[in-house]
Amino acid sequence: MAKFWYLVCMITFLELSKLAISRPEQVPTPPLPVLPLPTFSQLKWQQRELIMFLHFGVNTFTDSERGTGKENPSIFNPIGLDTKQWVTVASEAGISLMILTAKHHDGFCLWPSKYTDHSVISSPWRNGHGDVVQEFIDAVKTHGGGGIDAGLYLSPWDRHDKRYGHDLQYNEYYLAQLQELLTKYGSVKEIWFDGFKGNEARNMSYYFSDWFAMVKELQSSINIFSDAGPDVRWVGNEKGSAGNTSWSTINSTLLSIGSLSTLE
């Protein structure tokens, strides 16, 4: 009889021990995401709300929207240039990203590029030793309060350079200038491209895939902007037309860089 009660007590003890041991609660596994998901950089871009574009160059002194490429660099002489004031105003307005036109369609470069003399090198500003891009980047770092990032625009269409219209020579030139901008000035959060060119422009094929590959190789966290992405794009098209609803996800096969009819 004693053995029987001993056996009962042992079974009871073992059952109580099982109850006393805490086990991790099993929960359902999360569902698979509905692809595609934004990258960290794309999500950051969505949260920016306000960004600004700084169109500054020889056009500032000719009072024109689009330069001809024949402007004499001597007209570029912004003796009162204060990029810190740009950033201060942007900060007060709640801007989170400032994008500077390092080169517009006229081909004039706001930095001393090694690959052309059609730049600040040939201007009287700072006695030919100025660098607008550097002053802009420095101002963002020192006066942006940590809440403003810098971006750059490098126009594919170049109305000045004689290499334009020769696919290999010009694409090599463009890649060389991209490398300058993305290695000399530190972190750039966004780089702008477009396929826009006037009806009078020489026939030219842009090596976009090579451009994009170099950009990501040099700065992996940067957002590449064009009217067809690949990271971020505007709503609508070059004409400024957009549909009633513009979703964050889009079928990229419907897009073509520089197309006026894309999503029209």
Side-chain angles (χ1 to χ4, degrees), residues 30-50:
L32 292 175
V34 178
L35 299 175
L37 293 177
T39 64
F40 175 82
S41 298
Q42 288 174 322
L43 187 60
K44 171 69 175 178
W45 186 84
Q46 290 280 6
Q47 295 168 341
R48 287 190 182 280
E49 298 293 335
L50 290 176

Side-chain angles (χ1 to χ4, degrees), residues 54 81-91 98 100 126 131-150 185:
L54 299 163
L81 179 65
D82 185 357
T83 55
K84 297 174 184 176
Q85 185 263 347
W86 294 356
V87 177
T88 299
V89 172
S91 180
M98 300 175 70
L100 175 68
R126 305 273 199 264
D131 188 336
V132 179
V133 175
Q134 187 68 70
E135 292 192 20
F136 166 68
I137 295 290
D138 290 344
V140 169
K141 290 179 180 177
T142 58
H143 285 69
I148 298 181
D149 292 318
Y185 299 102

Side-chain angles (χ1 to χ4, degrees), residues 90-232:
S91 180
E92 292 172 351
I95 301 296
S96 63
L97 175 68
M98 300 175 70
I99 300 171
L100 175 68
T101 52
K103 183 187 79 170
H104 205 241
H105 307 320
D106 50 76
F108 183 80
C109 299
L110 294 183
W111 79 101
S113 175
K114 296 184 296 185
Y115 304 102
T116 180
D117 59 1
H118 194 60
S119 73
V120 288
I121 292 175
S122 300
S123 77
W125 179 63
R126 305 273 199 264
N127 294 317
H129 298 288
D131 188 336
V132 179
V133 175
Q134 187 68 70
E135 292 192 20
F136 166 68
I137 295 290
D138 290 344
V140 169
K141 290 179 180 177
T142 58
H143 285 69
I148 298 181
D149 292 318
L152 296 172
Y153 169 68
L154 185 67
S155 171
W157 185 27
D158 191 319
R159 305 186 77 183
H160 173 81
D161 199 272
K162 290 181 172 58
R163 285 164 284 201
Y164 192 87
H166 303 279
D167 287 2
L168 180 60
Q169 293 93 326
Y170 183 74
N171 277 281
E172 288 177 340
Y173 170 63
Y174 193 90
L175 281 167
Q177 291 200 317
L178 264 181
Q179 187 176 41
E180 282 186 320
L181 291 172
L182 296 179
T183 57
K184 184 178 178 181
Y185 299 102
S187 176
V188 176
K189 295 301 183 183
E190 189 164 323
I191 185 81
W192 268 52
F193 301 101
D194 62 19
F196 177 78
K197 53 187 174 183
N199 295 328
E200 76 282 7
R202 283 168 278 175
N203 189 34
M204 179 78 220
S205 295
Y206 301 140
Y207 297 174
F208 283 116
S209 58
D210 293 326
W211 299 359
F212 296 166
M214 172 177 278
V215 168
K216 290 296 185 179
E217 179 181 348
L218 296 176
Q219 299 207 25
S220 59
S221 63
I222 198 172
N223 272 327
I224 299 175
F225 172 99
S226 82
D227 35 342
D231 295 317
V232 295

Side-chain angles (χ1 to χ4, degrees), residues 58 69-76 108 118 122:
V58 290
K70 298 177 181 179
E71 294 84 4
N72 191 319
S74 64
I75 67 173
F76 186 80
F108 183 80
H118 194 60
S122 300

